[in-house]
């Protein structure tokens, strides 16, 4: 039982990883007055039962274990869903009685990914459970508090085209403000907040730290496998066709975007195979490409095979279709076809080349360019790393998108694979150093985690062996818009976690 200035909070004790950890789950940080409305703040209640996870936003079902190759026996709990009660967060901290923890602790606010459409993964699952990270923070003498937030997703965040835009960003901003105002009640230091996310979560983090109205008290940030270059804000008109399709689908069942039940809306998304969403252009994000991230330190990471989530979709494309997408860009496309081995008479080469182009344009090149820009012009510190350890259960799947979650959270036992286990331990320690305000490695260096358990500096020659740096210059010369158009046509509607 935690005593606060408002009353009390009942949590649960967790000792699975040899340390006493306290969880305060499902704490409401905001309310949603009606569908597609901006979130409203709530006061800290006098008494909170924080022993159970709160509901998440209604969403299409997803098999978290599929992409990560988790054995079927690993339990993936089902999380309740509620459109209007999904604005809640989970706080994980060292137990009050933990020796040496007698000060306000640094705070990590975690924004999950999931293509802005689903929760990938929930803190209720082993993949997103922060217990091991907090336990390791005690063992290493770098104790932290982790706050994992839920927010609106898919069409519930996207809106109807007439309401406020970017409701997920609004929800997250409210959660950050809640943490700034109340985390001291849980032993956290609001002057030491790190905002972090993976994939779509990193897209959101990037938007927050580029915002003209900087999120309160966020000093450090982590962009793991994502940035606004992965999913840039699009004009409102870009969503017109999607909204029309969803409206027509709901109309067949006698409902509308506003009147249909949440279950009916989700069913429409499933029937239409809507697997990803995007941010909408607004005045706050206008000109984001020319801004500098408003934090004191930034950690940027990417994995070797980010584009794995498009593999199945791209494999269904005809080689001639892939080739024509490059041809449509004119002379620049001819050079790209050579660099990425796009030859219509070689189907496998075409497929792999298209995936490599998506990978570089949306992940590898942005991570490289953001890091280089910070090294040259930013007064803050940049820490760049490559996470290239292959999937622990199926190495042939490579270091694919989201595999870093297994290493970061450590909620699934990797003891059967010593190399992967070592990468997880070293990665968590580096994050904990960063969250505590330290330097996980020299800012002038690039660090590597994997393959084969190796962790350490990656020199220029090795970096060029790990990433297609020889392609980066040509991608830059094409300009951002052309790169987005080509990668967008290759990737559009083809993302899937079932790869």
């Amino acid at each position: 039982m935690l005593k606060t200035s408002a009353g009390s909070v009942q949590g649960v004790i967790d000792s699975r990883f040899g340390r006493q950890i306290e969880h305060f789950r499902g704490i409401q940080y905001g309310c949603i007055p009606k569908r597609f409305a901006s979130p409203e703040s709530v006061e800290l209640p006098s008494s909170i039962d924080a022993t159970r996870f709160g509901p998440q936003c209604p969403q299409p079902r997803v098999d978290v274990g599929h992409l990560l190759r988790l054995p079927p026996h690993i339990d993936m709990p089902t999380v309740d869903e509620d459109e209007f009660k999904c604005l809640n967060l989970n706080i994980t901290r060292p137990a009050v009685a933990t020796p040496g923890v007698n000060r306000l602790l640094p705070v990590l606010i975690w924004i999950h990914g999931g293509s802005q459409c689903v929760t990938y993964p929930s803190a209720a699952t082993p993949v997103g459970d922060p217990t091991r990270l907090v336990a390791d923070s005690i063992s290493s003498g770098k104790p932290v508090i982790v706050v994992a937030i839920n927010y609106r997703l898919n069409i519930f965040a996207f809106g109807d085209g007439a309401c406020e835009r970017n409701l997920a960003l609004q929800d997250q901003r409210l959660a950050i403000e809640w943490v700034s105002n109340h985390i001291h009640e849980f032993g956290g230091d609001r002057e030491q907040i790190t905002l972090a996310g993976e994939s779509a979560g990193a897209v959101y983090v990037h938007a927050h730290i580029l915002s003209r109205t900087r999120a309160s008290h966020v000093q450090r940030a982590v962009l793991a496998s994502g940035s606004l270059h992965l999913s840039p804000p699009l004009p409102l008109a870009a969503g017109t066709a999607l909204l029309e399709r969803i409206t027509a689908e709901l109309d067949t069942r006698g409902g509308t975007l506003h009147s249909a039940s949440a279950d009916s809306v989700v069913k429409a998304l499933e029937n239409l195979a809507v697997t990803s969403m995007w941010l909408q252009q607004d005045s706050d994000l206008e000109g984001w490409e020319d801004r500098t991230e408003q934090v004191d330190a930034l950690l940027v990471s990417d994995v070797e095979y980010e584009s794995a989530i498009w593999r199945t979709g791209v494999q269904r494309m005809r080689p001639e279709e892939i080739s024509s997408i490059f041809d449509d860009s004119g002379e620049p496309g001819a050079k790209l076809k050579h660099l990425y081995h796009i030859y219509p008479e070689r189907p496998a080469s075409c497929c792999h080349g298209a995936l490599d182009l998506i990978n570089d344009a949306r992940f590898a090149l942005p991570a490289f360019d953001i890091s280089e820009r910070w090294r040259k012009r930013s007064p803050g510190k940049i820490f760049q790393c490559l996470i290239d350890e292959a999937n622990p259960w199926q190495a042939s799947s490579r270091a694919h998108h989201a595999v870093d979650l297994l290493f970061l959270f450590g909620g699934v036992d990797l003891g059967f694979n010593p190399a992967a286990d070592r990468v997880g331990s070293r990665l968590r320690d580096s994050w904990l150093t960063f969250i505590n305000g330290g330097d996980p490695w020299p800012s002038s260096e690039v660090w590597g985690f994997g393959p084969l358990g190796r962790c350490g500096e990656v020199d220029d020659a090795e970096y060029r062996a790990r990433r297609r740096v020889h392609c980066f210059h040509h991608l830059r010369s094409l300009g951002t818009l052309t790169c987005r158009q080509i990668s967008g046509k290759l990737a559009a509607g083809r993302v899937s976690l079932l790869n």
Side-chain angles (χ1 to χ4, degrees):
M1 178 76 71
L2 171 69
K3 297 295 183 181
T4 70
S5 58
S8 62
V9 185
Q10 180 65 52
V12 296
I13 295 291
D14 192 329
S15 303
R16 283 174 297 154
F17 297 103
R19 297 288 182 175
Q20 289 284 302
I21 305 298
E22 290 181 317
H23 295 284
F24 301 98
R25 294 167 170 158
I27 299 176
Q28 186 179 10
Y29 67 80
C31 66
I32 303 169
K34 62 179 181 179
R35 182 172 292 174
F36 306 141
S38 293
E40 297 179 355
S41 60
V42 296
E43 297 295 326
L44 191 66
S46 59
S47 179
I48 305 175
D49 179 0
T51 59
R52 296 183 297 276
F53 288 103
Q56 61 191 19
C57 182
Q59 58 195 268
R61 295 289 180 263
V62 61
D63 180 359
V64 174
H66 190 119
L67 177 65
L68 296 173
R69 306 298 190 254
L70 298 182
H73 70 266
I74 295 178
D75 184 35
M76 289 291 163
T78 300
V79 179
D80 291 340
E81 296 179 353
D82 191 300
E83 177 183 357
F84 300 106
K85 296 179 181 179
C86 63
L87 303 190
N88 58 77
L89 51 79
N90 308 298
I91 299 174
T92 303
R93 69 169 195 173
V96 173
T98 301
V101 180
N102 54 8
R103 57 183 173 87
L104 293 179
L105 302 180
V107 180
L108 170 68
I109 300 178
W110 175 256
I111 302 180
H112 68 74
S115 298
Q116 303 182 41
C117 201
V118 299
T119 304
Y120 194 92
S122 164
T125 69
V127 180
D129 179 3
T131 306
R132 176 72 176 275
L133 184 62
V134 176
D136 281 10
S137 80
I138 301 171
S139 300
S140 65
K142 307 168 191 173
V144 302
I145 292 173
V146 177
V147 181
I149 64 176
N150 286 317
Y151 53 90
R152 275 176 285 185
L153 298 161
N154 54 70
I155 200 65
F156 299 105
F158 192 84
D160 61 359
C163 69
E164 289 278 333
R165 304 181 189 183
N166 299 326
L167 294 170
L169 281 178
Q170 292 190 37
D171 295 346
Q172 294 155 13
R173 175 61 65 88
L174 190 62
I176 295 168
E177 291 176 357
W178 189 99
V179 172
S180 299
N181 292 333
H182 298 295
I183 200 61
H184 67 280
E185 304 269 18
F186 297 84
D189 185 353
R190 71 174 189 170
E191 301 300 332
Q192 296 189 74
I193 292 178
T194 298
L195 186 64
E198 185 268 346
S199 192
V203 174
Y204 290 129
V205 170
H206 205 200
H208 286 300
I209 62 178
L210 286 175
S211 170
R212 290 192 171 94
T213 54
R214 178 182 175 182
S216 302
H217 302 288
V218 173
Q219 290 79 34
R220 296 188 156 219
V222 182
L223 303 178
S225 294
S227 68
L228 281 172
H229 298 279
L230 166 60
S231 180
L234 298 179
L236 191 63
T240 300
L242 174 63
L243 290 170
E244 289 175 349
R245 291 169 60 211
I246 295 174
T247 298
E249 179 70 20
L250 292 172
D251 184 61
T252 63
R253 293 193 293 277
T256 69
L257 269 174
H258 288 271
S259 68
S261 68
D263 287 343
S264 184
V265 173
V266 170
K267 185 62 177 176
L269 295 175
E270 292 175 337
N271 289 347
L272 296 171
V274 176
T275 58
S276 63
M277 303 292 289
W278 58 88
L279 292 174
Q280 298 161 303
Q281 287 179 352
D282 63 20
S283 58
D284 189 49
L285 293 175
E286 186 177 354
W288 64 268
E289 299 99 327
D290 300 319
R291 301 187 210 167
T292 297
E293 295 79 7
Q294 298 298 302
V295 285
D296 299 328
L298 184 64
L299 194 159
V300 177
S301 67
D302 68 299
V303 304
E304 179 258 334
Y305 189 21
E306 300 278 15
S307 57
I309 54 176
W310 286 279
R311 182 177 56 192
T312 300
V314 171
Q315 284 176 338
R316 295 193 182 108
M317 299 176 71
R318 294 178 294 104
E320 295 78 13
E321 182 184 2
I322 293 173
S323 182
S324 67
I325 290 174
F326 286 83
D327 292 337
D328 288 344
S329 64
E331 185 177 343
K335 176 66 173 177
L336 281 180
K337 288 175 71 173
H338 172 71
L339 286 171
Y340 286 95
H341 307 283
I342 305 299
Y343 308 119
E345 66 275 16
R346 298 177 181 176
S349 182
C350 263
C351 174
H352 292 308
L355 291 171
D356 288 346
L357 184 280
I358 294 171
N359 192 98
D360 292 351
R362 296 196 169 198
F363 297 95
L365 177 57
F368 182 92
D369 280 351
I370 290 171
S371 301
E372 285 296 290
R373 172 167 51 80
W374 266 64
R375 290 189 185 101
K376 293 175 181 176
R377 296 199 297 268
S378 174
K381 289 187 175 182
I382 181 69
F383 301 97
Q384 182 189 4
C385 66
L386 312 177
I387 304 176
D388 288 353
E389 186 67 27
N391 184 286
W393 290 276
Q394 192 175 61
S396 59
S397 295
R398 298 161 56 183
H400 57 74
H401 187 71
V403 76
D404 49 330
L405 296 173
L406 294 171
F407 308 130
L408 173 63
F409 289 111
V412 181
D413 183 13
L414 301 180
F416 68 94
N417 187 322
D421 204 34
R422 171 181 167 80
V423 166
S425 178
R426 293 290 297 274
L427 184 63
R428 288 190 295 276
D429 186 67
S430 295
W431 272 57
L432 293 170
T433 297
F434 181 78
I435 297 165
N436 273 270
D439 297 357
W441 53 82
S443 185
S444 60
E445 297 177 358
V446 177
W447 216 249
F449 295 90
L452 304 176
R454 176 189 176 276
C455 301
E457 181 186 1
V458 175
D459 63 21
D460 184 65
E462 185 177 348
Y463 189 94
R464 291 174 179 275
R466 289 179 181 235
R467 299 294 184 267
R468 286 171 288 275
V469 178
H470 65 284
C471 297
F472 289 178
H473 175 72
H474 187 63
L475 289 173
R476 287 194 203 94
S477 70
L478 293 180
T480 302
L481 182 59
T482 300
C483 283
R484 285 179 186 163
Q485 288 175 339
I486 297 174
S487 67
K489 290 178 181 177
L490 292 169
R494 297 184 175 93
V495 67
S496 173
L497 299 175
L498 301 179
N499 278 286

